[in-house]
């Protein structure tokens, strides 16, 4: 009871303040837990991948994913159609797996749920790693010695037992869930076989098992033996604010801090992770303590990128360390030694270190500064060490190359990091790029001396090379995703001259890559910096309204913009209208495959009247007859537009006439009305438009149903028009109508009619 009822909040690193303890009921903030089995393919860094999925969860509140509260982990599962006895809970480092389990156990202890369990046995894989051959009985008694006289009787009633195993990813054994041999609690074997046998029910049939793990470990594990697989997605938006309020305990400070983070897409996106929230709050509280008056100047000096966040975090710790200096061991020495150990861990998927690692990398753990960056667990001689957060480990792995630069070693590391297909080094690479910025590095100068400009030049050269590689034409989608990663490198580097030099006047094509709002913010930074980019292709990027809002300010110099198939809706139209008004260079705008029908479509069309757009693609946009009024308004006074594609909408109706009347004052040369459910009653409107336009040369009416008494009006108008190409394919025309069209083609030299 005592162990599960208190949450420990680490003391601010680098200070002498004690850690604070809170009742878990008072401080626990709800986490999103969803039912999923998407572990098979994780080509991205798991932190980034979960961030993407998290945004998708927020967009789809009634998603196909089943939302699960802790008290429902062992309740009926719709997907497996049973009450699960084996549950896997996955989550990236720092997202709250252990805290969720602590809350689960606390609620069981206090009688809130799962009273069918008489005993809950909790194990950490890092503790089990120290065991040799052992039986299940021995394994239990090692932690629960007071049960020695009862253990035989306890294990006779397996339906009342729950076994919890925390952090499968920390197991040194490769655990194979596909088969099990163990059947008796007194049989001795390695702990992995015991875990598998409990899960597969060959041992203690009827017992329940709960395991937690990082997603990366599950890519190589046969998870089909679990009746429920859940993933912790982190905080919802409102939960982040609750966390900030709890941390600061001061309404004014928490509001200012939260507002600052909310305005910064990079920091706010990663706030879905509780431990990231803690790091951000810690950094901001340190900054606020240093400057009691919260001025605008202070707010503008706060970190903007993830690299700057961690530089500020470490810098403040080192500043406090100066006041509590450990004799004979400098910050430079410690950061060098733990930096090389951190890099070894990043490159080898290692997050738990022991005394042998410390000795191998000459890391001293006998000072105050060491405990500011690393946590220890266990009792001597079996003590393990982990960084406060995996991302801090990745930061130190990058920082060491600037503290103790060796160009050959740096290049070898870059080559190795690039070779990993699982994305394990992605954030590490972003840190390397972020540290190439001299103003970001300068924050650490007073603590560890001048950081290497040679390393910075080396990284900048590498970024230039990567950008050139990824900007090549005819890229497959995976290479376009790599290009997006390069944009993140440039974003972290904050080097506008480098961005201009790398991108230059190259066109940008990330079509087919799903973009989060954060991706759109990064892309916005790139586009605002590059004045020479003329074409941007973002087709099928799932941008949606929020992503579009972040992109629009960066589109003022673009000549050709493709936003085909991006789930844009009517509410996107004001943002699009704003972008069009502020861009007098835009000539081609592709908005096909969205859903722009609605009252705000009018805003978009009004913006057209003052634009210089020459080609507008609006096919497959669910536009109806009521949109014709707005379309007419848009093209009536636009003397620049030459091509309008309205294919695949549903424009039949009384207002279609106004669209045709607007052709009289427009200069449109090419009009596509393919598949618009137009009928014979629209022919007189079409005829009016054709007679009164002096510029129309290409007209596509395919896929409609125009035959009827008014079809004659259309034929008559075509005989005196300037149209050179008429397409009427996929239309059920009578032989008589086809004959009239062929006759028209012979009477009008220069007119080409396509009939099918």
């Amino acid at each position: 009871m005592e162990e599960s009822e208190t949450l420990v909040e680490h003391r601010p690193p680098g200070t002498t303040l004690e850690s604070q303890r809170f009742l878990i009921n008072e401080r626990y903030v709800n986490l999103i837990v969803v039912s999923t089995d998407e572990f098979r393919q994780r080509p991205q860094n798991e932190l980034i991948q979960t961030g993407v999925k998290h945004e998708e969860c927020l967009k789809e509140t009634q998603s196909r994913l089943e939302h699960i509260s802790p008290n429902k982990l062992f309740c009926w599962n719709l997907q497996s159609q049973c009450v699960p006895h084996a549950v896997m809970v996955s989550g990236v480092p720092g997202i709250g797996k252990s805290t969720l389990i602590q809350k689960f156990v606390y609620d069981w202890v206090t009688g809130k749920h799962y009273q069918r369990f008489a005993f809950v046995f909790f194990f950490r894989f890092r503790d089990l790693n120290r065991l040799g051959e052992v039986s299940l009985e021995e394994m239990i008694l090692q932690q629960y010695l007071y049960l020695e006289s009862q253990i035989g009787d306890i294990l006779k009633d397996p339906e009342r037992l729950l076994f919890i195993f925390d952090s499968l990813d920390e197991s040194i054994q490769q655990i194979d869930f596909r088969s099990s041999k163990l059947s008796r609690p007194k049989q001795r074997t390695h702990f992995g076989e015991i875990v598998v046998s409990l899960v597969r029910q060959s041992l203690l049939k009827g017992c329940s098992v709960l395991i937690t793990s990082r997603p990366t470990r599950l890519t190589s594990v046969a998870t089909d033996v679990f009746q429920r697989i859940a993933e912790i997605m982190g905080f919802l938006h409102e939960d982040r604010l609750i966390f900030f309020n709890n941390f600061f305990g001061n309404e004014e400070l928490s509001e200012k801090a939260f507002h600052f983070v909310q305005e910064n897409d990079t920091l706010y996106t990663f706030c879905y992770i509780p431990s990231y929230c803690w790091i951000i709050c810690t950094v901001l509280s340190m900054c606020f303590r240093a400057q009691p008056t919260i001025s605008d100047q202070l707010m503008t000096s706060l970190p903007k990128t993830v690299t700057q966040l961690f530089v500020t975090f470490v810098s403040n710790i080192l500043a406090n360390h100066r006041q509590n200096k450990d004799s004979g061991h400098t910050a430079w020495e410690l950061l060098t030694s733990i930096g090389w150990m951190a890099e070894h861990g990043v490159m080898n998927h290692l997050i738990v270190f022991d005394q042998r690692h410390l000795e191998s990398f000459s890391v001293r753990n006998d000072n105050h500064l060491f405990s500011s960056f690393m946590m220890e667990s266990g009792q001597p001689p079996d003590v393990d060490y982990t960084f406060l957060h995996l991302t801090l480990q990745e930061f130190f792995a990058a920082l060491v190359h600037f503290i103790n630069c060796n160009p050959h070693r740096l290049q070898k590391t870059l080559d190795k990091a690039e070779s990993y297909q699982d994305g394990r080094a992605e954030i590490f690479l972003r840190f390397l790029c972020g540290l190439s910025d001299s103003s970001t590095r300068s924050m650490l100068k007073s603590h560890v001396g001048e950081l290497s400009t040679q390393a910075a030049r080396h990284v900048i050269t590498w970024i230039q090379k990567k950008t050139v590689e990824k900007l090549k034409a005819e890229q497959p989608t995976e290479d376009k995703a790599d290009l997006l990663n390069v944009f993140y490198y440039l974003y972290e580097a904050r080097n506008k001259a480098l961005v201009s030099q790398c991108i230059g006047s190259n066109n940008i094509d990330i079509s087919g890559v799903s973009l989060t709002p954060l991706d759109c913010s990064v892309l916005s930074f790139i586009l605002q910096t590059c004045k020479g980019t003329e074409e941007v292709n973002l087709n099928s990027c799932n941008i949606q309204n929020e992503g579009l809002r972040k992109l629009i300010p960066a589109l003022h110099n673009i000549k050709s913009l493709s936003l085909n198939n991006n789930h844009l809706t009517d509410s996107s139209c004001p943002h699009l209208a704003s972008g069009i008004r502020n861009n007098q260079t835009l000539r081609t705008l592709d908005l096909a495959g969205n859903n722009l029908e609605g009252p705000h479509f009018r805003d978009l069309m009004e913006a057209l009247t003052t634009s210089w757009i020459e080609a507008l693609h609006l096919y497959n946009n669910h536009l109806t007859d009521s949109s014709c009024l707005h379309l007419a308004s848009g093209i009536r006074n636009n003397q620049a537009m030459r091509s309008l594609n309205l294919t695949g909408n549903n424009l039949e109706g009384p207002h279609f006439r106004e669209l045709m009347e607007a052709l009289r004052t427009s200069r449109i040369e090419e009009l596509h009305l393919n598949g618009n459910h137009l009928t014979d009653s629209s022919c007189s409107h079409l005829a009016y438009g054709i007679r009164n336009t002096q510029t129309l040369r290409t007209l596509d009416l395919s896929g409609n149903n125009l035959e009827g008494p008014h079809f004659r009006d259309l034929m008559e108008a075509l005989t005196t028009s300037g149209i050179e190409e008429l397409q009427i394919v996929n239309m059920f025309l009578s032989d008589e109508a086809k004959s009239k069209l062929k006759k028209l083609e012979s009477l009008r030299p220069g007119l080409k009619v396509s009939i099918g």
Side-chain angles (χ1 to χ4, degrees):
M1 170 74 172
E2 210 173 296
E3 286 184 15
S4 65
E5 73 177 346
T6 48
L7 272 177
V8 178
E9 186 177 274
H10 297 296
R11 58 184 170 75
T15 71
T16 54
L17 298 175
E18 290 300 312
S19 299
Q20 296 188 64
R21 294 178 176 272
F22 302 95
L23 290 175
I24 193 166
N25 257 9
E26 293 174 2
R27 273 297 178 99
Y28 182 78
V29 180
N30 287 324
L31 297 160
I32 313 170
V33 184
V34 297
S35 183
T36 181
D37 59 358
E38 296 175 3
F39 305 112
R40 292 288 149 252
Q41 294 180 335
R42 289 257 175 181
Q44 278 183 295
N45 177 284
E46 60 185 342
L47 206 66
I48 300 167
Q49 179 85 358
T50 302
V52 173
K53 281 183 69 181
H54 183 272
E55 290 300 323
E56 288 171 0
C57 276
L58 295 185
K59 287 173 189 168
E60 302 176 35
T61 49
Q62 299 301 319
S63 129
R64 62 187 174 81
L65 297 172
E66 178 192 2
H67 292 237
I68 308 161
S69 55
N71 63 342
K72 291 183 179 174
L73 285 171
F74 287 94
C75 293
W76 177 267
N77 183 11
L78 285 171
Q79 290 182 347
S80 60
Q81 290 291 297
C82 68
V83 175
H85 65 78
V87 174
M88 174 68 75
V89 174
S90 161
V92 298
I95 204 162
K97 297 184 293 295
S98 298
T99 305
L100 179 80
I101 297 304
Q102 186 180 338
K103 181 70 165 66
F104 178 97
V105 172
Y106 175 76
D107 286 346
W108 169 73
V109 168
T110 54
K112 286 189 179 173
H113 63 205
Y114 295 123
Q115 294 309 288
R116 62 188 169 97
F117 297 131
F119 293 92
V120 174
F121 299 116
F122 177 83
F123 302 93
R124 290 186 179 88
F125 277 101
R126 69 168 65 175
D127 298 328
L128 297 178
N129 287 336
R130 303 185 185 109
L131 301 178
E133 283 208 346
V134 67
S135 70
L136 173 62
E137 278 193 8
E138 291 168 338
M139 201 167 88
I140 293 171
L141 293 176
Q142 287 223 353
Q143 278 190 223
Y144 304 94
L145 187 58
Y146 58 88
L147 295 175
E148 188 171 12
S149 61
Q150 311 164 53
I151 191 67
D153 292 332
I154 289 170
L155 298 183
K156 286 177 183 174
D157 195 3
E159 286 84 1
R160 305 207 66 198
L161 305 181
L162 170 63
F163 294 88
I164 299 176
F165 297 96
D166 194 20
S167 299
L168 173 66
D169 49 283
E170 293 179 359
S171 170
I172 58 174
Q173 292 183 15
Q174 286 299 320
I175 296 180
D176 184 357
F177 287 102
R178 288 174 297 185
S179 63
S180 61
K181 303 169 186 173
L182 207 62
S183 58
R184 291 179 291 109
K186 291 184 181 291
Q187 267 182 277
R188 302 187 93 231
T189 183
H190 61 78
F191 71 82
E193 182 64 33
I194 293 173
V195 174
V196 171
S197 300
L198 289 170
V199 169
R200 294 192 65 87
Q201 301 279 283
S202 65
L203 178 63
L204 297 186
K205 185 175 176 59
C207 74
S208 298
V209 182
L210 174 59
I211 299 179
T212 73
S213 177
R214 283 169 60 186
T216 46
R217 183 63 178 261
L218 298 185
T219 58
S220 58
V221 169
T223 54
D224 52 350
V225 70
F226 294 90
Q227 293 81 44
R228 169 170 276 137
I229 302 174
E231 184 163 10
I232 303 176
M233 304 304 296
F235 286 152
L236 286 167
H237 292 300
E238 55 270 26
D239 297 325
R240 302 178 202 196
L241 178 57
I242 293 170
F243 187 98
F244 272 66
N245 288 335
N246 286 343
F247 184 95
F248 285 97
N250 176 308
E251 193 174 340
E252 184 190 359
L253 278 182
S254 64
E255 274 186 17
K256 278 190 177 288
F258 189 73
H259 179 72
F260 167 76
V261 172
Q262 206 170 19
E263 291 295 303
N264 184 307
D265 291 320
T266 311
L267 301 184
Y268 188 67
T269 297
F270 282 114
C271 266
Y272 76 89
I273 304 171
S275 63
Y276 243 103
C277 261
W278 179 81
I279 288 171
I280 290 169
C281 288
T282 300
V283 167
L284 294 180
S285 68
M286 288 170 166
C287 295
F288 293 160
R289 271 204 312 273
Q291 300 273 340
T293 306
I294 303 174
S295 62
D296 291 341
Q297 186 179 357
L298 170 64
M299 298 305 285
T300 55
S301 68
L302 295 174
K304 307 293 189 302
T305 66
V306 177
T307 307
Q308 289 174 357
L309 174 72
F310 278 85
V311 165
T312 309
F313 182 68
V314 171
S315 178
N316 277 295
I317 292 171
L318 295 176
N320 286 319
H321 167 65
R322 273 184 168 180
Q323 299 163 18
N324 309 284
K325 201 161 187 180
D326 300 302
S327 58
H329 197 52
T330 66
W332 187 93
E333 288 171 325
L334 180 73
L335 294 187
T336 301
S337 58
I338 66 169
W340 291 126
M341 185 172 77
E343 195 219 45
H344 172 75
V346 169
M347 296 302 163
N348 294 281
H349 258 329
L350 188 66
I351 60 172
V352 180
F353 304 91
D354 57 28
Q355 191 60 41
R356 289 170 301 171
H357 292 109
L358 267 60
E359 290 169 2
S360 175
F361 291 97
S362 305
V363 178
R364 282 178 51 184
N365 64 344
D366 59 350
N367 64 60
H368 178 73
L369 187 57
F370 174 86
S371 62
S372 297
F373 298 132
M374 302 201 73
M375 299 180 294
E376 62 176 64
S377 63
Q379 298 297 321
D382 299 317
V383 179
D384 290 324
Y385 303 91
T386 54
F387 286 87
L388 287 179
H389 189 273
L390 172 62
T391 314
L392 184 62
Q393 178 181 335
E394 292 167 314
F395 174 76
F396 281 132
L399 179 63
V400 72
H401 287 282
F402 289 84
I403 292 175
N404 186 8
C405 178
N406 179 323
H408 175 72
R409 186 168 186 172
L410 175 55
Q411 187 55 51
K412 189 176 176 183
T413 297
L414 286 167
D415 292 340
K416 193 174 181 182
E418 278 191 82
S419 71
Y420 294 123
Q421 299 301 307
D422 58 7
R424 75 178 73 169
E426 195 52 52
I427 290 177
F428 161 74
L429 288 171
R430 291 183 189 180
F431 279 137
L432 277 177
C433 298
L435 288 166
S436 72
D437 174 45
S438 58
S439 62
T440 300
R441 292 197 309 276
S442 66
M443 288 186 262
L444 291 166
K445 182 178 178 180
S446 60
H447 308 299
V448 293
E450 191 80 51
L451 295 181
S452 174
T453 54
Q454 185 182 13
R457 287 195 298 272
H458 197 110
V459 170
I460 287 169
T461 302
W462 177 81
I463 295 173
Q464 290 169 324
K465 176 172 166 281
K466 292 296 295 179
T467 310
V468 170
E469 275 178 23
K470 300 306 175 185
L471 277 172
K472 288 177 184 174
E474 304 300 324
Q475 304 163 314
T477 300
E478 54 269 26
D479 280 350
K480 292 175 184 175
D482 288 343
L483 176 60
L484 182 61
N485 280 333
V486 171
F487 289 164
Y488 270 93
Y489 303 154
L490 291 166
Y491 178 79
E492 286 292 328
R494 309 307 285 174
N495 187 333
K496 292 188 176 183
L498 177 62
V499 176
S500 296
Q501 184 186 346
C502 287
I503 308 296
S505 59
N506 279 286
N507 298 327
I508 290 176
D509 179 0
I510 317 184
S511 55
V513 178
S514 186
L515 300 180
T516 66
L518 176 58
D519 295 334
C520 292
S521 290
V522 170
L523 183 55
S524 181
F525 168 79
I526 299 296
L527 292 173
Q528 286 186 72
T529 308
C530 294
K531 308 299 182 188
T533 298
E534 294 187 350
E535 293 183 24
V536 176
N537 185 344
L538 301 176
N539 289 342
S540 302
C541 287
N542 195 27
I543 287 172
Q544 303 190 32
N545 298 340
E546 180 63 14
L548 180 66
R549 184 180 66 80
K550 296 177 187 303
L551 275 174
I552 286 298
L555 302 176
H556 53 276
N557 289 317
I558 307 300
K559 285 188 178 178
S560 175
L561 175 62
S562 296
L563 291 167
N564 189 323
N565 192 26
N566 267 293
H567 304 284
L568 302 179
T569 64
D570 162 59
S571 57
S572 305
C573 290
H575 302 312
L576 289 165
S578 170
I580 291 171
R581 285 192 191 97
N582 293 313
N583 184 342
Q584 292 303 300
T585 61
L586 190 62
R587 297 294 179 266
T588 302
L589 179 60
D590 184 354
L591 295 170
N594 292 294
N595 185 10
L596 300 180
E597 168 75 10
H600 296 298
F601 183 65
R602 176 180 180 176
D603 299 335
L604 176 60
M605 292 300 101
E606 283 179 357
L608 278 184
T609 60
T610 56
S611 82
W612 290 91
I613 292 175
E614 296 173 357
L616 177 62
H617 302 285
L618 288 168
Y619 54 89
N620 294 339
N621 257 286
H622 305 277
L623 300 178
T624 64
D625 166 64
S626 60
S627 295
C628 288
L629 290 166
H630 308 314
L631 283 163
S633 170
I635 68 173
R636 188 176 287 121
N637 299 310
N638 184 314
Q639 296 301 297
M641 190 174 295
R642 298 292 182 268
S643 175
L644 177 61
N645 193 329
L646 294 168
T647 296
N649 291 292
N650 185 10
L651 301 181
E652 168 76 9
H655 297 300
F656 182 67
R657 173 179 177 171
E658 297 183 50
L659 175 60
M660 292 298 99
E661 286 178 352
L663 290 178
R664 186 167 55 87
T665 55
S666 81
R667 299 187 62 79
I668 289 176
E669 298 174 359
E670 190 176 332
L671 179 61
H672 295 268
L673 292 166
N674 188 335
N676 262 283
H677 304 277
L678 301 178
T679 64
D680 166 65
S681 61
S682 294
C683 286
S684 55
H685 306 320
L686 284 163
Y688 179 88
I690 291 168
R691 281 194 196 98
N692 290 285
T693 175
Q694 301 299 309
T695 58
L696 193 61
R697 296 293 176 265
T698 301
L699 178 61
D700 186 356
L701 296 171
S702 304
N704 291 293
N705 186 18
L706 299 177
E707 184 153 11
H710 297 294
F711 187 64
R712 176 180 175 181
D713 298 337
L714 176 59
M715 292 295 99
E716 287 178 357
L718 287 168
T719 58
T720 57
S721 76
I723 289 175
E724 297 169 356
E725 184 178 352
L726 175 66
Q727 295 183 40
I728 307 191
V729 297
N730 295 326
M731 198 183 291
F732 298 105
L733 295 174
S734 65
D735 290 340
E736 182 184 356
K738 289 179 182 177
S739 175
K740 286 180 181 178
L741 284 165
K742 287 177 182 175
K743 185 177 179 182
L744 174 66
E745 192 173 21
S746 64
L747 289 172
R748 274 273 326 274
L751 172 64
K752 180 185 176 185
V753 180
S754 299
I755 308 171

